[in-house]
Short mmCIF file of all heavy atoms in Angstrom, two decimals:
data_model
loop_
_atom_site.label_atom_id
_atom_site.label_comp_id
_atom_site.label_asym_id
_atom_site.label_seq_id
_atom_site.Cartn_x
_atom_site.Cartn_y
_atom_site.Cartn_z
N ILE A 100 5.82 -8.92 -14.49
CA ILE A 100 6.93 -8.96 -13.55
C ILE A 100 8.10 -9.61 -14.28
O ILE A 100 8.09 -10.83 -14.52
CB ILE A 100 6.56 -9.76 -12.29
CG1 ILE A 100 5.38 -9.11 -11.57
CG2 ILE A 100 7.76 -9.85 -11.35
CD1 ILE A 100 4.87 -9.90 -10.38
N PRO A 101 9.10 -8.86 -14.67
CA PRO A 101 10.20 -9.43 -15.47
C PRO A 101 10.89 -10.62 -14.82
O PRO A 101 11.38 -11.51 -15.51
CB PRO A 101 11.17 -8.24 -15.61
CG PRO A 101 10.30 -7.03 -15.51
CD PRO A 101 9.25 -7.40 -14.50
N ALA A 102 10.96 -10.66 -13.49
CA ALA A 102 11.63 -11.78 -12.82
C ALA A 102 10.83 -13.07 -12.89
O ALA A 102 11.35 -14.15 -12.62
CB ALA A 102 11.90 -11.43 -11.35
N HIS A 103 9.55 -12.97 -13.26
CA HIS A 103 8.69 -14.16 -13.38
C HIS A 103 7.96 -14.11 -14.73
O HIS A 103 6.73 -14.01 -14.78
CB HIS A 103 7.68 -14.21 -12.23
CG HIS A 103 8.31 -14.25 -10.88
ND1 HIS A 103 8.84 -15.40 -10.34
CD2 HIS A 103 8.53 -13.27 -9.97
CE1 HIS A 103 9.34 -15.14 -9.14
NE2 HIS A 103 9.17 -13.85 -8.90
N PRO A 104 8.70 -14.18 -15.84
CA PRO A 104 8.08 -13.97 -17.15
C PRO A 104 7.08 -15.04 -17.54
O PRO A 104 6.22 -14.80 -18.39
CB PRO A 104 9.28 -13.96 -18.10
CG PRO A 104 10.33 -14.74 -17.39
CD PRO A 104 10.13 -14.43 -15.94
N ALA A 105 7.16 -16.22 -16.94
CA ALA A 105 6.25 -17.30 -17.32
C ALA A 105 4.93 -17.24 -16.57
O ALA A 105 4.02 -18.02 -16.85
CB ALA A 105 6.90 -18.66 -17.08
N ASN A 106 4.80 -16.33 -15.60
CA ASN A 106 3.59 -16.24 -14.79
C ASN A 106 2.90 -14.91 -15.02
O ASN A 106 3.54 -13.86 -15.01
CB ASN A 106 3.92 -16.37 -13.30
CG ASN A 106 4.53 -17.72 -12.96
OD1 ASN A 106 5.71 -17.94 -13.19
ND2 ASN A 106 3.74 -18.61 -12.42
N ALA A 107 1.59 -14.97 -15.18
CA ALA A 107 0.81 -13.73 -15.17
C ALA A 107 0.63 -13.30 -13.73
O ALA A 107 0.25 -14.11 -12.88
CB ALA A 107 -0.56 -13.97 -15.82
N PRO A 108 0.93 -12.05 -13.38
CA PRO A 108 0.77 -11.62 -11.99
C PRO A 108 -0.66 -11.83 -11.50
O PRO A 108 -1.63 -11.63 -12.24
CB PRO A 108 1.11 -10.13 -12.03
CG PRO A 108 1.96 -9.97 -13.25
CD PRO A 108 1.44 -10.98 -14.23
N ALA A 109 -0.79 -12.25 -10.25
CA ALA A 109 -2.11 -12.45 -9.67
C ALA A 109 -2.86 -11.12 -9.65
O ALA A 109 -2.27 -10.06 -9.51
CB ALA A 109 -1.99 -12.99 -8.25
N ARG A 110 -4.17 -11.20 -9.81
CA ARG A 110 -4.96 -9.98 -9.81
C ARG A 110 -4.93 -9.27 -8.45
O ARG A 110 -5.30 -8.10 -8.34
CB ARG A 110 -6.40 -10.26 -10.22
CG ARG A 110 -7.08 -11.36 -9.43
CD ARG A 110 -8.54 -11.50 -9.88
NE ARG A 110 -9.09 -12.78 -9.52
CZ ARG A 110 -9.10 -13.83 -10.33
NH1 ARG A 110 -8.58 -13.74 -11.52
NH2 ARG A 110 -9.64 -14.98 -9.95
N THR A 111 -4.50 -9.98 -7.39
CA THR A 111 -4.37 -9.34 -6.08
C THR A 111 -3.19 -8.40 -6.03
O THR A 111 -3.09 -7.58 -5.11
CB THR A 111 -4.22 -10.41 -4.97
OG1 THR A 111 -3.15 -11.29 -5.33
CG2 THR A 111 -5.50 -11.21 -4.82
N ILE A 112 -2.26 -8.50 -7.00
CA ILE A 112 -1.11 -7.59 -7.02
C ILE A 112 -1.54 -6.32 -7.75
O ILE A 112 -1.34 -6.14 -8.96
CB ILE A 112 0.10 -8.26 -7.69
CG1 ILE A 112 0.45 -9.58 -6.99
CG2 ILE A 112 1.31 -7.32 -7.64
CD1 ILE A 112 1.62 -10.30 -7.58
N THR A 113 -2.18 -5.46 -7.01
CA THR A 113 -2.76 -4.22 -7.54
C THR A 113 -2.44 -3.08 -6.59
O THR A 113 -2.68 -3.19 -5.39
CB THR A 113 -4.28 -4.36 -7.71
OG1 THR A 113 -4.56 -5.45 -8.60
CG2 THR A 113 -4.88 -3.09 -8.27
#
Side-chain angles (χ1 to χ4, degrees):
I100 299 175
H103 301 281
N106 297 78
R110 53 177 160 266
T111 52
I112 304 180
T113 301

